[in-house]
């Protein structure tokens, strides 16, 4: 009788044990794996057979979305719930951390004016040799589209820089969608893939176009060369066109070239989409371009926090690179003026000060960090979920792009544009120099021991960053008092901020919607 009385209890205990084990297993397999190890990567089709252009849901769903992504961080696709975060700097709301800045009702408006005409009869052919990294080449290509229009030239598909520090052998079609580029500009400029055979050996003018030049220079000095040459070759493409004081239709053409015509090659778009999806699986994420690669530090002469041997190595690279004109650089002066990238450690302090928790996913959009893992150790300790394309994809998936710096940079570009917060603190654009200068002063105080991490530092970092979060604003002109080439260098670059030329504010004065240029 006693055994019969206990039998139901024994059965109940076994049932409860099984239920607890099942719950534990479900919980275990529900946890996100922090990366995709090569042996665990899901099986995908051949990298050369990734989805076609039309199958890429991520890819610029509309012109408005693609443009605003470049001008301000996009809305989070899966925002975190509203909850409080106790950080070193105090209590901050996570929703506010991920909230993008207001677009102030600005939308893209790069359509040509009513009097805009198809391209005039071509007077000759414009060859272009681009130079610099991916963004520098992109800007140069779009400027040369405008120049071709100004001088009535047929533009031959530009040649990408193969002589730079990266020694990348990529052609235009390896990085960009060549056919789309030609078709998208058909009403603006005639673009062809190759120079006609009969002109292959023709005498051509090789010209270094003057930096930041306006209409008069191209209409007079450059266009007059058609009298003697059928082919003009632009030896460089960077910063050859003025930022300001150009006709509205030329400015709008620059934006159509950059944001509509210049699209990445299908296989790059597809691989980028795959990386975005894998990064998005962790939730809202930050994209950081640290700009802490060997070539960047050598070019800028920035050696803060480096060893004497490392500083000497960078100096030797600068001295032996013939096309880098400035050889002697004062590293302390560069840093104090905001010209140096922040160190990975300083970036970690910055993000912690803003209130981002340690489980924030961060995508590192960059090449090999100078100093490797040891230099990234402090940032890694603060934010363990540091990702990169090499961690998100298998060796096999990245193989078609490896050893091609421009193609790898294009993948980083896509993941960064899709991020919920793209940090500009490490970029080299003029409009964020002030934030770096202010942060450097704070970090120096930390090193000197006159300040420590905590609420005070967090408050000051938040105040520095508060008015520099990417909301649309009018492009800044030259710094007052500057003259000559320094005047143009001090201007905010056109592609950094194409407002007011290529953005309109949407207003509702009555029941009708109208677009008004600001």
């Amino acid at each position: 009788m006693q055994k019969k009385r206990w039998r139901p209890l024994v059965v109940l205990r076994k049932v409860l044990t099984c239920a607890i084990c099942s719950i534990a297993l479900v919980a275990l397999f529900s946890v996100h794996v922090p990366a995709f190890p090569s042996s665990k990567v899901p099986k995908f089709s051949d990298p050369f057979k990734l989805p076609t252009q039309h199958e890429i849901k991520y890819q610029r769903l509309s012109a408005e979305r693609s443009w605003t992504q470049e001008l301000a961080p996009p809305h989070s696709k899966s925002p975190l719930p509203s909850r409080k975060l106790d950080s070193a700097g105090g209590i901050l709301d996570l929703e506010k951390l991920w909230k993008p800045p207001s677009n102030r009702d600005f939308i893209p408006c790069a359509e040509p004016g009513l009097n805009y005409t198809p391209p005039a009869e071509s007077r000759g052919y414009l060859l272009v040799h681009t130079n610099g990294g991916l963004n520098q080449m992109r800007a140069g290509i779009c400027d040369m589209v405008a120049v071709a229009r100004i001088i009535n030239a047929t533009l031959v598909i530009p040649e990408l820089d193969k002589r730079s520090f990266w020694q990348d052998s990529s052609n235009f079609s390896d990085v960009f969608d060549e056919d789309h580029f030609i078709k998208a500009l058909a009403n603006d400029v005639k673009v062809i893939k190759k120079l006609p055979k009969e002109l292959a050996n023709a005498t051509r003018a090789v010209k270094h176009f003057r930096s930041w030049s306006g209409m008069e220079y191209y209409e007079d000095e450059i266009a007059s060369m058609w009298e003697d040459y059928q082919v003009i070759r632009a030896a460089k493409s960077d910063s050859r066109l003025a930022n300001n004081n150009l006709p509205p239709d030329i400015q709008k053409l620059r934006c159509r070239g950059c944001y509509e015509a210049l699209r990445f090659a299908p296989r790059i778009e597809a691989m980028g989409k795959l990386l975005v999806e894998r990064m998005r699986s962790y939730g809202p994420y930050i994209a950081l371009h640290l700009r802490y690669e060997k070539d960047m530090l050598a070019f800028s002469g920035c050696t803060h926090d480096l060893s004497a041997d490392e500083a000497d190595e960078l100096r030797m690279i600068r001295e032996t690179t013939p096309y880098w004109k400035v050889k002697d650089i004062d590293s302390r002066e560069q840093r104090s003026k905001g010209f140096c990238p922040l160190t990975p450690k300083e970036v970690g302090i910055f993000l912690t000060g803003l209130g981002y928790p340690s489980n924030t996913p961060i995508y590192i959009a960059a090449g090999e960090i100078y100093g490797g893992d040891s230099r990234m150790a402090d940032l890694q300790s603060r934010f363990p979920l540091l990702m990169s394309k090499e961690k998100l994809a298998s060796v096999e998936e990245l193989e078609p792009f490896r050893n091609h710096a421009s193609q790898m940079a294009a993948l980083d570009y896509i993941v960064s544009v899709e991020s919920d917060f793209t940090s500009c603190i490490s970029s080299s654009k003029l409009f964020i120099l002030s934030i770096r200068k202010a942060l450097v002063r704070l970090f120096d105080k930390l090193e000197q021991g006159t300040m420590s991490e905590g609420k005070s530092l967090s408050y000051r970092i938040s105040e520095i960053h508060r008015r520099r979060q990417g909301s649309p604003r009018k492009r800044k002109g030259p710094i007052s008092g500057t003259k000559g080439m320094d005047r143009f260098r001090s201007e905010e670059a056109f592609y950094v901020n194409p407002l007011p030329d290529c953005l309109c504010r949407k207003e509702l004065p009555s029941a009708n919607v109208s677009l008004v240029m600001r």
Side-chain angles (χ1 to χ4, degrees):
M1 287 291 294
Q2 192 171 7
K3 287 185 179 180
K4 289 182 179 180
R5 192 180 300 117
W6 283 99
R7 187 172 297 164
L9 294 176
V10 171
V11 172
L12 178 61
R13 186 172 67 180
K14 290 182 178 180
V15 171
L16 289 174
T17 301
C18 290
I20 291 170
C21 290
S22 299
I23 293 171
L25 285 171
V26 169
L28 176 64
F29 289 111
S30 297
V31 176
H32 281 302
V33 181
F36 289 87
S38 298
S39 60
K40 302 289 184 180
V41 175
K43 295 295 182 182
F44 291 92
S45 59
D46 189 327
F48 291 94
K49 296 180 181 178
L50 287 167
T52 65
Q53 200 82 0
H54 297 291
E55 295 172 325
I56 303 172
K57 183 180 70 174
Y58 126 83
Q59 179 190 10
R60 293 170 178 78
L61 299 178
S62 66
E64 177 174 346
R65 182 179 178 219
S66 68
W67 284 39
T68 52
Q69 280 176 330
E70 296 207 17
L71 296 170
H75 289 274
S76 166
K77 295 173 182 59
S78 52
L80 293 178
S82 177
R83 58 189 175 91
K84 299 295 181 179
L85 167 68
D86 187 7
S87 71
I91 305 299
L92 293 173
D93 191 292
L94 276 178
E95 267 192 352
K96 291 181 180 178
L97 284 175
W98 293 108
K99 184 179 179 180
S102 171
N103 64 12
R104 295 172 53 207
D105 293 326
F106 280 100
I107 61 172
C109 57
E111 292 302 310
L114 296 176
N115 297 323
Y116 193 74
T117 60
E121 183 179 353
S122 175
R123 299 186 63 187
Y125 297 87
L126 177 61
L127 301 178
V128 176
H129 177 81
T130 61
N131 57 293
L134 178 66
N135 281 334
Q136 197 173 356
M137 289 193 292
R138 286 177 73 237
I141 290 167
C142 298
D143 278 357
M144 290 300 108
V145 167
V147 168
R149 170 84 186 191
I150 294 169
I151 64 175
N152 295 333
T154 295
L155 178 66
V156 180
I157 285 291
E159 177 186 348
L160 300 190
D161 193 344
K162 296 179 173 63
R163 298 177 297 179
S164 67
F165 180 89
W166 305 279
Q167 298 292 302
D168 187 353
S169 61
S170 297
N171 294 315
F172 186 98
S173 59
D174 296 321
V175 180
F176 303 108
D177 189 332
E178 192 173 68
D179 292 330
H180 174 79
F181 183 74
I182 295 172
K183 183 178 179 180
L185 295 172
N187 294 325
D188 303 296
V189 176
K190 184 178 180 181
V191 184
I192 60 175
K193 294 184 179 182
K194 293 181 179 180
L195 196 66
K197 290 183 178 179
E198 62 269 20
L199 293 176
N201 298 319
T203 303
R204 60 190 67 175
V206 179
K207 182 75 172 177
H208 281 76
F209 293 165
R210 194 173 64 198
S211 299
W212 297 294
S213 295
M215 291 288 289
E216 296 79 8
Y217 171 77
Y218 286 105
E219 289 177 328
D220 299 337
E221 184 171 334
I222 301 302
S224 66
M225 297 174 69
W226 293 132
E227 298 173 7
D228 301 309
Y229 301 97
Q230 289 180 279
V231 180
I232 298 174
R233 179 180 179 86
K236 286 188 175 183
S237 65
D238 64 319
S239 304
R240 304 296 128 175
L241 194 59
N243 292 306
N244 304 303
N245 303 317
L246 292 173
D249 276 334
I250 293 298
Q251 297 290 59
K252 288 176 180 293
L253 174 55
R254 296 169 84 178
C255 274
R256 289 199 299 279
C258 188
Y259 303 115
E260 296 175 11
L262 205 56
R263 179 188 293 173
F264 290 125
R267 69 172 187 172
I268 290 178
E269 292 276 11
M271 190 67 229
K273 169 186 177 288
L274 200 60
L275 294 174
V276 169
E277 288 176 349
R278 292 176 181 178
M279 196 67 210
R280 182 65 64 190
S281 69
Y282 301 102
Y285 67 91
I286 293 173
L288 288 176
H289 195 319
L290 297 175
R291 295 188 68 83
Y292 213 80
E293 299 99 323
K294 183 184 292 186
D295 63 293
M296 174 60 192
L297 295 175
F299 176 78
S300 60
C302 298
T303 60
H304 176 74
D305 210 30
L306 300 182
S307 69
D309 288 342
E310 289 173 325
D312 283 340
E313 181 184 21
L314 297 180
R315 178 180 55 78
M316 289 295 294
I317 292 173
R318 188 167 64 254
E319 289 180 354
T320 55
T321 304
Y323 50 89
W324 289 356
K325 296 180 180 179
V326 182
K327 304 299 182 183
D328 296 322
I329 300 177
D330 186 325
S331 178
R332 289 186 180 181
E333 183 179 348
Q334 286 284 92
R335 185 168 180 268
S336 67
K337 290 181 177 180
F339 293 131
C340 291
L342 299 181
T343 67
K345 177 181 179 180
E346 291 169 338
V347 172
I349 295 172
F350 171 78
L351 294 175
T352 300
L354 286 180
Y356 284 95
S358 61
N359 64 348
T360 300
I362 295 178
Y363 181 83
I364 302 298
E368 184 178 352
I369 301 299
Y370 190 54
D373 292 342
S374 62
R375 183 118 313 119
M376 294 291 288
D378 191 90
L379 179 59
Q380 181 85 56
S381 68
R382 290 172 182 268
F383 298 96
L385 276 176
L386 286 187
M387 297 297 168
S388 64
K389 51 188 173 298
E390 289 81 7
K391 291 182 180 179
L392 293 170
S394 68
V395 172
E396 293 76 18
E397 287 172 319
L398 288 180
E399 184 59 34
F401 314 99
R402 200 173 296 279
N403 299 323
H404 297 288
S406 295
Q407 297 180 47
M408 296 287 269
L411 295 176
D412 284 337
Y413 182 96
I414 292 171
V415 183
S416 297
V417 167
E418 283 287 310
S419 71
D420 301 275
F421 174 67
T422 301
S423 175
C424 294
I425 58 173
S426 304
S427 78
S428 61
K429 296 166 184 156
L430 289 174
F431 77 100
I432 51 82
L433 290 182
S434 58
I435 188 174
R436 282 214 302 254
K437 287 164 65 176
L439 289 172
V440 161
R441 289 194 288 268
L442 290 181
F443 297 147
D444 284 345
K445 290 181 179 180
L446 283 177
E447 286 190 7
Q448 296 161 5
T450 58
M451 177 179 282
S452 58
E453 290 192 59
K455 290 184 178 181
S456 176
L457 178 65
S458 180
Y459 173 78
R460 295 183 69 173
I461 287 176
S462 297
E463 283 299 295
I464 290 171
H465 187 253
R466 185 163 58 91
R467 290 188 177 90
R468 300 174 175 90
Q469 296 183 30
S471 288
R473 57 170 177 76
K474 187 176 180 180
R475 184 170 63 255
K476 293 181 179 179
I479 295 175
S480 178
T482 54
K483 297 180 180 180
M485 297 305 286
D486 288 337
R487 177 179 181 277
F488 296 113
R489 288 192 182 95
S490 69
E491 291 180 330
E492 188 172 7
F494 180 85
Y495 297 104
V496 168
N497 183 6
L499 179 67
D501 309 278
C502 303
L503 293 173
C504 302
R505 173 167 278 169
K506 186 167 57 177
E507 292 187 351
L508 295 171
S510 60
N512 297 322
V513 176
S514 64
L515 298 181
V516 181
M517 286 299 297
R518 293 296 188 196

